[in-house]
Amino acid sequence: MNIQVTKFTTYLAFFFGAIQAQAFEPKSNFSVNLERVRYCQNFWCTQQYTQPEYQVWDQEGVSKTHQLYTQIARIQQPMREDVRNLVFIAAGQQPPGYGSESSVTGQEDNYKKDCGVSKGSCSRSVDGRSLARQVLDSEYFPADDTFFAVAFDTQFNYMVSSSEKSRMERAYLNWLKSKAYASNLETIYLAGSSRGGCLAMRLAKALRDDPAFRKIRTIVHSFDGVCKWDQNEMGVTSSFFRSPVNSNYLSYYTDLDVQFPYKDNLYIRQLAGGDEVIEFTGVHSFVYAATDINLGWYAQQWVNLNHITIDRDMTPTVRDLTVVPFLQHLDDIF
């Protein structure tokens, strides 16, 4: 009897594991309408226009230049009174040129080509292997009650001043708050890689500091998130931990226990690489602990991958170390 039970249990584990693995398999690509917060209305860009959807960027005093280069896609937008879930996913800082791919948002390489500052919007594709595509396909965020947006270029860049970052944070925060009534919300899901991971974490902290949003289930996924230690951004300090899986890598320390005093219904997961983002700059990701940990409200895992690989690579072996564990984390929470 015990042998039969063991065999049956093993079969169930294999069966449900196979179903789950299949659920995490890449989906089809899909198109989105990528919008600029602000765009040029003439050739010389002497006339500019902030789109009505993004007026809060103007209201918060975000610079016109940063508005021009901020690109966001609203994938799902039910009526405000129907929204039960808020989803916002942000790519990392974009290099000069036509833009880079992201395993988190699913944007493709060169997505900015033929989509310059004179265009208010462009049709673009989201990769079916990405976190965003997978989350969109999940059962947890139905189209009829989920506001879902991805930022291909947040302009929340590393070298931006502290004051401008604060203005940007308020713009994103108030824009997201305008999409739902706190009393109706069930889940807030924020995710990002590199600088997008820092933005996701800052938005989560700001929401947690607001009593109206404090008790809502909040999930934060950071892919080697990067905050600027010499601005004390998100409490990040110059102290650091060496990666336990690669001593050449390090991540700066921040006390997330202090940053998030309200932990009820909070689920943060950080993937840490620790590679120097740009050589000889001293720019690295942030962490809370020296080793892999799971505190319930906070989980952290180190991986021996460089920063660009974490941010962009969607090959199966890398995806199994980056995107898939976050999808598993979502499954565990729900």
Side-chain angles (χ1 to χ4, degrees):
M1 178 63 74
N2 288 340
I3 294 175
Q4 289 177 328
V5 170
T6 301
K7 285 182 176 179
F8 182 67
T9 303
T10 302
Y11 169 78
L12 283 179
F14 177 81
F15 178 73
F16 286 111
I19 290 176
Q20 190 172 63
Q22 187 175 16
F24 295 160
E25 285 298 306
K27 312 299 179 185
S28 59
N29 293 7
F30 73 99
S31 295
V32 297
N33 185 43
L34 184 64
E35 302 170 312
R36 283 189 185 275
V37 166
R38 185 182 182 91
Y39 65 92
C40 301
Q41 292 185 296
N42 61 4
F43 179 79
W44 298 108
C45 208
T46 55
Q47 295 178 358
Q48 299 178 12
Y49 178 68
T50 298
Q51 304 206 56
E53 171 66 24
Y54 304 106
Q55 283 297 318
V56 68
W57 267 255
D58 247 356
Q59 293 163 8
E60 292 299 338
V62 176
S63 77
K64 292 179 173 59
T65 299
H66 287 134
Q67 289 188 47
L68 271 176
Y69 290 97
T70 301
Q71 293 179 280
I72 299 170
R74 289 175 287 155
I75 298 173
Q76 294 172 177
Q77 185 164 330
M79 298 292 291
R80 185 179 186 185
E81 58 268 23
D82 295 330
V83 173
R84 299 291 181 271
N85 309 290
L86 276 179
V87 176
F88 178 67
I89 302 175
Q93 182 168 326
Q94 296 300 288
Y98 289 133
S100 64
E101 68 266 26
S102 168
S103 61
V104 177
T105 60
Q107 63 203 50
E108 297 181 335
D109 203 21
N110 295 321
Y111 69 89
K112 293 187 178 188
K113 191 173 183 179
D114 302 320
C115 188
V117 293
S118 63
K119 293 186 177 181
S121 66
C122 300
S123 178
R124 288 295 179 261
S125 182
V126 168
D127 195 297
R129 298 170 295 174
S130 65
L131 176 83
R133 180 66 179 97
Q134 205 83 37
V135 171
L136 184 68
D137 192 66
S138 75
E139 63 187 286
Y140 307 122
F141 303 111
D144 59 353
D145 65 8
T146 300
F147 175 81
F148 196 122
V150 295
F152 283 20
D153 189 342
T154 66
Q155 283 292 292
F156 199 70
N157 297 343
Y158 188 80
M159 294 304 293
V160 170
S161 69
S162 291
S163 56
E164 179 72 346
K165 283 175 183 171
S166 294
R167 289 189 287 270
M168 288 183 182
E169 179 191 308
R170 291 194 301 270
Y172 281 104
L173 181 67
N174 292 331
W175 177 66
L176 288 171
K177 284 182 175 181
S178 74
K179 302 305 176 185
Y181 294 106
S183 58
N184 291 342
L185 272 179
E186 296 174 0
T187 303
I188 299 168
Y189 177 66
L190 305 167
S193 64
S194 191
R195 284 298 300 168
C198 185
L199 177 59
M201 201 74 76
R202 285 184 58 160
L203 290 172
K205 174 176 168 51
L207 287 164
R208 283 269 141 175
D209 287 343
D210 185 338
F213 290 83
R214 184 171 298 160
K215 295 182 180 180
I216 298 165
R217 177 169 53 195
T218 301
I219 305 165
V220 189
H221 284 168
S222 172
F223 290 68
D224 212 30
V226 174
C227 289
K228 199 168 191 288
W229 70 262
D230 56 359
Q231 291 178 340
N232 196 224
E233 192 177 9
M234 270 303 299
V236 173
T237 69
S238 58
S239 299
F240 60 84
F241 294 122
R242 290 280 175 187
S243 165
V245 294
N246 186 334
S247 61
N248 292 318
Y249 294 170
L250 63 89
S251 292
Y252 295 116
Y253 169 73
T254 181
D255 190 344
L256 290 177
D257 183 53
V258 171
Q259 296 296 313
F260 291 94
Y262 307 104
K263 299 176 179 62
D264 289 348
N265 245 353
L266 176 65
Y267 305 92
I268 299 173
R269 194 180 199 281
Q270 168 82 315
L271 185 73
D275 174 34
E276 191 172 32
V277 177
I278 302 173
E279 196 173 9
F280 306 125
T281 61
V283 179
H284 296 266
S285 59
F286 64 88
V287 292
Y288 178 42
T291 59
D292 293 353
I293 59 169
N294 189 343
L295 304 175
W297 67 272
Y298 178 80
Q300 175 185 302
Q301 182 179 6
W302 292 87
V303 291
N304 190 14
L305 298 172
N306 67 46
H307 187 75
I308 297 299
T309 298
I310 293 171
D311 189 37
R312 304 178 189 177
D313 196 326
M314 286 181 274
T315 56
T317 52
V318 172
R319 190 172 174 273
D320 284 346
L321 295 172
T322 57
V323 172
V324 170
F326 285 93
L327 298 174
Q328 178 65 65
H329 186 235
L330 271 180
D331 267 8
D332 292 344
I333 292 168
F334 284 95

